[in-house]
Amino acid sequence: MTAEEIYNNLKAKFGDAIVEAKLDALQPWIVVDPNRTKEIALFLRDEPALQFDSMMCLSGVDYNGGKLGIVYHLFSMVHKHKIVLKAHCTKENPHIQSVSSVWGTANWHEREVFDMYGVVIDEHPDLRRILLPYDWEGHPLRKDYKVPEFYNGMKVPY
Amino acid sequence: MGLLDQRFENGNVFITSLENLLNWARLSSLYQMQFGLACCAIEMMAASASDFDIMRFGIIPRATPRQADVMFVAGTVTLKMASRIKRLYDQMAEPRYVISMGSCANCGGPYWEHGYHVLKGVDRVIPVDVFVPGCPPRPEALLEGIIKLQEKVRKESVVKKSA
């Protein structure tokens, strides 16, 4: 199925939840409502014509200017087609719904996004930091992150 | 080894100072704290394998700090790991030695500027006896570091130094 057909499928089913799309890109992408990612993901996985059974990658992004987001790279082993899903939020209200109940892979990826970007993943079963220590302050991959002078009495800068 | 050569003149009589004997015994059985942190650990393992055979220096990996004499800090020390390293070092019995292996453990290596999570040199948390440069150092470099440490142990004294 082409990206356009996938987009039309989603648009017919979810309407307003599909915010934006660029279908002539090298990897066509569709921006969706951050509060409805779970049901959209479930539809993408279970609809017989789509069957996106594999989430290849889940990445966090800081777009600068207070905008954060998650990018989902999806693939269907059955139909051999791909699509990129995006969900955006702001630094003031960094909430995106979890898709870990749809693709188990997403669990740790979403924890990493939370760890590095501070995006709160709503309905996540176990939202803790995954790489940094639990007592770490801040989210290091945000563009406005400042390296701390000290961590637990250890000097951090060179 | 060199210490023992040509000292057997009359059969089984052997003369040395107690200090020499102690130092020789200690430097010939430097038990290693068995752990690795990053890619340097691969080179450390290569040094342990048959081509380089670290055991000919009397180095045997021990899986507990309480039986170890020397700690090879082989790899990037993250801030999360630094407190663990400090604890492991504290658990080792004295006299204890530390060899910092590779650029990351020496000074932060490639993470020196943007590595918000990396300790810029393991000597910020524990005292280091020998620094082995390289990224990662070849097994020969690690062996040279061990020989340097052995030289240091050989010069040690049980008597407290004055002035």
Side-chain angles (χ1 to χ4, degrees):
Chain A
M1 197 180 270
T2 63
E4 195 151 347
E5 288 169 306
I6 295 167
Y7 174 76
N8 291 337
N9 251 325
L10 284 178
K11 196 73 185 170
K13 171 89 177 159
F14 295 102
D16 288 347
I18 310 303
V19 182
E20 194 190 339
K22 186 170 167 58
L23 302 171
D24 55 350
L26 183 63
Q27 296 189 335
W29 48 263
I30 300 169
V31 180
V32 303
D33 186 341
N35 299 315
R36 295 182 67 186
T37 50
K38 188 172 156 188
E39 50 176 318
I40 293 167
L42 205 61
F43 174 76
L44 282 168
R45 189 191 70 180
D46 290 345
E47 179 71 17
L50 297 167
Q51 287 198 52
F52 284 100
D53 48 7
S54 167
M55 198 199 70
M56 296 190 293
C57 188
L58 187 156
S59 333
V61 189
D62 184 343
Y63 293 98
N64 248 343
K67 188 167 135 191
L68 300 170
I70 295 182
V71 181
Y72 312 81
H73 287 248
L74 309 178
F75 181 67
S76 169
M77 296 280 186
V78 181
H79 301 297
K80 311 289 181 204
H81 55 205
K82 289 179 189 172
I83 196 74
V84 177
L85 223 60
K86 296 184 181 186
H88 297 152
C89 62
T90 58
K91 272 181 191 168
E92 288 72 43
N93 184 29
H95 287 270
I96 293 178
Q97 201 177 27
S98 171
V99 295
S100 63
S101 58
V102 181
W103 297 289
T105 321
N107 189 319
W108 280 19
H109 283 74
E110 287 179 337
R111 277 178 66 185
E112 191 177 349
V113 171
F114 167 68
D115 197 355
M116 294 293 155
Y117 294 94
V119 176
V120 179
I121 312 292
D122 293 328
E123 296 167 45
H124 191 281
D126 181 28
L127 193 65
R128 292 175 293 148
R129 286 189 185 271
I130 189 169
L131 298 168
L132 291 164
Y134 295 136
D135 60 352
W136 191 269
E137 280 171 24
H139 302 283
L141 290 192
R142 283 192 180 186
K143 304 250 171 163
D144 57 358
Y145 181 74
K146 294 274 180 294
V147 176
E149 278 296 309
F150 284 92
Y151 169 72
N152 281 353
M154 293 175 282
K155 189 171 167 246
V156 179
Y158 183 70
Chain B
M1 304 196 180
L3 199 70
L4 286 173
D5 282 355
Q6 289 142 33
R7 298 213 175 184
F8 296 94
E9 286 164 6
N10 301 318
N12 55 3
V13 178
F14 168 60
I15 298 167
T16 182
S17 66
L18 180 64
E19 202 167 84
N20 271 346
L21 182 68
L22 280 176
N23 285 346
W24 168 78
R26 273 173 43 212
L27 71 86
S28 312
S29 62
L30 286 169
Y31 285 8
Q32 167 201 355
M33 168 76 218
Q34 185 184 25
F35 84 114
L37 297 178
C39 25
C40 281
I42 304 295
E43 297 296 306
M44 186 181 72
M45 288 176 234
S48 309
S50 49
D51 268 17
F52 298 97
D53 190 17
I54 211 170
M55 267 193 197
R56 65 200 154 112
F57 297 100
I59 292 178
I60 299 171
R62 307 304 295 178
T64 161
R66 301 188 193 283
Q67 296 172 359
D69 303 301
V70 59
M71 174 191 255
F72 297 148
V73 183
T76 314
V77 183
T78 58
L79 292 165
K80 198 175 178 181
M81 192 67 197
S83 53
R84 277 81 167 168
I85 286 184
K86 175 92 168 64
R87 178 174 293 186
L88 286 170
Y89 177 78
D90 289 343
Q91 287 178 353
M92 285 163 69
E94 284 184 334
R96 56 198 170 185
Y97 304 95
V98 176
I99 293 181
S100 165
M101 180 183 181
S103 297
C104 291
N106 290 347
C107 63
Y111 309 101
W112 72 276
E113 192 173 11
H114 299 296
Y116 57 86
H117 61 306
V118 175
L119 188 71
K120 313 297 186 304
V122 73
D123 55 336
R124 288 186 183 186
V125 289
I126 55 175
V128 175
D129 294 285
V130 178
F131 291 93
V132 179
C135 187
R138 280 197 51 85
E140 294 97 321
L142 180 61
L143 297 188
E144 183 168 1
I146 292 161
I147 292 166
K148 283 262 181 277
L149 181 64
Q150 289 186 329
E151 281 170 19
K152 181 174 178 170
V153 177
R154 199 191 298 278
K155 283 179 201 143
E156 280 184 358
S157 172
V158 286
V159 184
K160 198 176 174 184
K161 283 197 183 95
S162 57

